[in-house]
Amino acid sequence: MTLGILSLVLVVAVGAGVGLVLRGGGSGDDTAGDGAGDVAADSNTVVVKDDEITKLVEAHSRALASDDAKAFTSIFDQKNAALVRDQARVFANLRKMPLAEKSYEVLRRQGRAQDSFGRGVKFTQDVAFVHRFAGIDLRPVSEWYRWTIEKASPKAPLVVTKVEGAPPTISGEASKTMYYPGPWDIWPDIVVAKAGGSLVLARPKDAALARRVAPTVSAAAASDLAFWQKNGDPDAAVPSGFVVALVEGKTQLGKLFRTSKANEAGVSIPMPRWGVGNDTVKIGGTRVVMDTASEFFRDKQGIMEISEHELAHSLVAGLDSAQFALFGRANWITEGFAEYVAGRDQPIARNRRADEGRAYVAGQLAMPFDGRLPTNALWDFKQMTSVNYLMGHVAMRFIAQKYGERKLVEGVVAAYRAPGDDSEAALFQVLGVTRADFERQWAGYVRAQFA
């Protein structure tokens, strides 16, 4: 089993569009702008103006902020009992979330928003749910919905007839939706377990497990934060708590805060901050999701390990430059750092992947050890993923022993702040060594560890 972090390529690709309010700027047919009313020459014209959309979304925000369930569900098709019931559940779930900020914002719309022959119109409207977990998120983040909206006649109100996740603005991304669904969208109810300054979210059937896991998550957070306080930049933007959600199985793992195929045991999903401007913090927060059916949940030590790993990803996510990267940040740096933070206090011989390391060095795996650092292109090639995690870990351990943990953290931070494709170069520059020299020294270290 492997641990993982959602590719930052997704974040980079869509980050520039997050927070842009695209009113009337959709790419579909007959999208009406503010001036659409000028062409409404007779009373038969059905037209949806921008201010109608704005008022609808603003009213939805006010209903959530004022705990008005009736107003919250009033915008949905009242003839569709299942839809109204689902949105009432969303409202009830969101009331349990300790959110410092929460609102809905207008994004793009597509479809026919005007008809000159008296027929009703039907179109889709993307809406961002902007929110910030109190004491956890560095900045507000957003989940994107796609509402199907209908207007039956010129004077009829707008009615939302369908709610789903909005797709990314760029095709071909890893997730088919933008941080949708949240647990509030799909769980019948949410158990919220306090874990120190962090939160553990679970379905009602996992309430006991959430309460049992919470102290370990709290301890993992404290351990990671202590490591940072000892070795990191005190002025850097790092969170003091984390949001952790528990799911069961890979299907659920791939359908929370994203829609994609999952093969990890856990994932830290970075979410771009909402809004535009000169803020140096590009990633506003993360959502950690862990599979309770994975081998890590067989005992407390495993839960501690996966928690420390995923929270290490989340710890440094806010330092990400969020610039476009063709190949993405080097996996051996991001995964190696998380593995190191999680396993730094135990001998490498006791690592759960140690046997694979010995087989790798002995030339018994599909690809023999050649002294080179793992590449992103071959990261998952021929079932080499697990040993590549180990090699990243050993690389970080080598750096810590040769240069010290502070220099290790400085190099990793430089890699995060550099454009993804330049992450290795940024790290080696901090260490004052060429890649070739580093690999030569590291290769000898690896062979010594797994002789």
Side-chain angles (χ1 to χ4, degrees), residues 186-379:
I186 56 175
W187 290 358
D189 194 0
I190 300 179
V191 172
V192 182
K194 288 284 291 180
S198 301
L199 298 174
V200 177
L201 309 181
R203 297 169 184 262
K205 70 182 185 67
D206 292 325
L209 176 62
R211 288 191 288 269
R212 191 169 72 249
V213 166
T216 304
V217 169
S218 178
S223 176
D224 285 8
L225 289 167
F227 174 79
W228 178 265
Q229 289 166 2
K230 180 181 177 181
N231 301 292
D233 180 355
D235 297 323
V238 296
S240 57
F242 309 90
V243 176
V244 177
L246 304 181
V247 298
E248 184 178 6
K250 298 295 180 283
T251 299
Q252 291 184 19
L253 185 65
K255 293 183 179 178
L256 197 64
F257 301 114
R258 58 177 178 167
T259 306
S260 62
K261 184 178 180 180
N263 55 18
E264 318 98 338
V267 63
S268 171
I269 301 174
M271 300 179 69
R273 63 173 170 80
W274 172 261
V276 294
N278 298 322
D279 193 342
T280 57
V281 176
K282 308 301 181 184
I283 303 302
T286 65
R287 302 293 177 259
V288 172
V289 189
M290 299 193 299
D291 177 10
T292 61
S294 75
E295 63 178 298
F296 293 96
F297 276 76
R298 293 174 184 170
D299 53 48
K300 185 176 180 179
Q301 180 180 347
I303 297 172
M304 184 69 172
E305 182 180 343
I306 189 173
S307 297
E308 284 188 297
H309 177 108
E310 298 304 341
L311 299 188
H313 281 310
S314 295
L315 181 68
V316 295
L319 307 178
D320 181 17
S321 64
Q323 298 184 53
F324 177 77
L326 183 62
F327 300 106
R329 186 161 291 103
N331 287 345
W332 72 265
I333 296 177
T334 56
E335 297 300 346
F337 177 72
E339 286 284 273
Y340 174 80
V341 172
R344 66 189 187 278
D345 293 330
Q346 68 175 11
I348 200 69
R350 291 176 53 191
N351 187 281
R352 68 177 62 239
R353 309 179 198 271
D355 288 344
E356 292 175 274
R358 283 186 282 271
Y360 185 38
V361 171
Q364 297 170 356
L365 300 187
M367 295 177 61
F369 180 61
D370 61 2
R372 302 281 183 89
L373 289 162
T375 64
N376 285 15
L378 298 177
W379 188 259

Side-chain angles (χ1 to χ4, degrees), residues 60 72-73 76 82-92 104 145 147 163 185:
H60 203 51
F72 186 89
T73 58
F76 302 103
L83 175 62
V84 174
R85 184 171 58 250
D86 286 347
Q87 293 306 309
R89 185 194 67 237
V90 171
F91 177 84
Y104 294 88
Y145 292 100
W147 289 351
V163 177
D185 298 305

Side-chain angles (χ1 to χ4, degrees), residues 383-436:
Q383 299 181 321
M384 291 291 292
T385 310
S386 184
V387 79
N388 283 336
Y389 271 79
L390 178 63
M391 291 300 104
H393 178 177
V394 176
M396 293 296 151
R397 190 170 286 240
F398 170 68
I399 294 171
Q401 291 184 12
K402 183 176 177 61
Y403 300 92
E405 285 189 330
R406 286 192 176 184
K407 186 64 70 171
L408 163 65
V409 172
E410 183 184 348
V412 170
V413 170
Y416 267 80
R417 286 177 169 163
D421 296 337
D422 298 331
S423 57
E424 287 186 334
L427 172 62
F428 293 138
Q429 183 176 2
V430 168
L431 299 181
V433 66
T434 66
R435 179 194 176 100

